[in-house]
Amino acid sequence: MPVGARAGLLEAAAEEGLLVIEDNPYGFFAREPGARPTLKALDGRRQVIHLGSFAKTCFPGARLGYVVADQRVLAPDGRSTLLADELAKLKSMTTVNTPALSQAVIGGMLLRSDCRLREANAPARAHYAANLDVLLRELERHFPPAERDRLGVSWNEPAGGFFAVLHVPFTADEQAMERCAREHGVLWTPMAPFYPAGGGERRLRLSISALSGRQIETGVARLAEFVRAEAH
């Protein structure tokens, strides 16, 4: 999202009196190099709660994240505290303590990279960006516009990260995923579980994080065969 659009979003939220939750685990993995300001960086009214994760930038197994919540909140007795402090209390009551070993691993990685994770993740960003370009190119090649319209196939074009979401003309559930894996050798993730209130039944997620360009090319070709077979 361009800077102007982000600023406009914050203006609209302010007019409605809304807090904005910015979930940004893939912020360092844009397809184009260079930093983009987060909504929190543009936030002059303390209206953005920023969520981040070290699982993508450092080590998935550590399962560590963070929150920037500098809003003031009032306790029932009238005391004014930071939202971050109240969230920390809730977390401590829910999970007791974050594992010390996980904190040590992430802390060591931060120290080793001089706390500059953008630079530390530059090789991974380039890998994900190249793979995402291959995925989008192959989807275009195997589903030309006329066939997309006929089948009812579409997809998003992410500005970063390592996922794309494909809309298909059939129910993309666990049974369909099993058929695709068994008959075509391709795995994907059903999107319906990501819609708590319902929806996403005809959407599936494609991941390119741990693949080579050649594997993506082969996978999209096989996936196209599966989509055509399911559509008919």
Side-chain angles (χ1 to χ4, degrees):
M1 184 187 294
V3 175
R6 294 180 182 212
L9 174 63
L10 293 180
E11 288 292 336
E15 290 175 4
E16 298 297 327
L18 299 175
L19 282 177
V20 177
I21 297 178
E22 181 180 27
D23 188 13
N24 193 42
Y26 305 103
F28 289 168
F29 303 114
R31 288 171 66 192
E32 299 296 329
R36 295 184 179 188
T38 63
L39 288 174
K40 191 60 184 172
L42 302 173
D43 180 20
R45 301 183 181 92
R46 295 187 178 182
Q47 64 185 108
V48 177
I49 299 170
H50 181 90
L51 306 178
S53 172
F54 293 117
K56 312 301 179 186
T57 55
C58 288
F59 177 50
R63 311 311 296 169
L64 252 63
Y66 55 91
V67 59
V68 181
D70 56 353
Q71 293 77 18
R72 305 296 304 187
V73 294
L74 290 178
D77 61 3
R79 290 182 300 106
S80 175
T81 62
L82 283 176
L83 177 59
D85 292 337
E86 297 305 310
L87 292 175
K89 293 176 186 176
L90 290 173
K91 192 223 177 271
S92 67
M93 289 186 287
T94 304
T95 63
V96 185
N97 289 303
T98 299
L101 181 59
S102 295
Q103 296 184 64
V105 168
I106 298 303
M109 296 182 76
L110 288 169
L111 290 173
R112 187 173 64 185
S113 62
D114 196 28
C115 294
R116 305 294 297 174
L117 289 182
R118 189 175 301 280
E119 288 82 354
N121 281 272
R125 187 213 65 79
H127 171 75
Y128 298 148
N131 277 3
L132 198 52
D133 286 343
V134 173
L135 174 63
L136 296 175
R137 182 194 72 210
E138 292 302 300
L139 287 172
E140 287 280 354
R141 186 161 75 89
H142 287 281
F143 295 107
E147 186 172 24
R148 289 205 297 271
D149 292 342
R150 180 176 61 82
L151 291 175
V153 171
S154 61
W155 56 87
N156 66 331
E157 295 192 11
F162 41 81
F163 300 113
V165 176
L166 188 68
H167 182 89
V168 292
F170 55 87
T171 301
D173 55 13
E174 287 79 6
Q175 290 74 32
M177 180 182 64
E178 182 183 354
R179 291 194 300 274
C180 186
R182 183 176 60 250
E183 299 169 9
H184 299 270
V186 177
L187 280 173
W188 38 263
T189 302
M191 285 297 294
F194 294 92
Y195 291 74
E201 291 83 3
R202 294 195 168 195
R203 288 182 171 87
L204 57 89
R205 190 177 75 176
L206 304 173
S207 172
I208 47 82
S209 59
L211 302 176
S212 67
R214 181 62 59 85
Q215 287 174 315
I216 295 170
E217 292 171 354
T218 301
V220 174
R222 294 179 179 180
L223 179 65
E225 294 175 355
F226 172 71
V227 170
R228 293 188 189 99
E230 291 288 309
H232 296 128

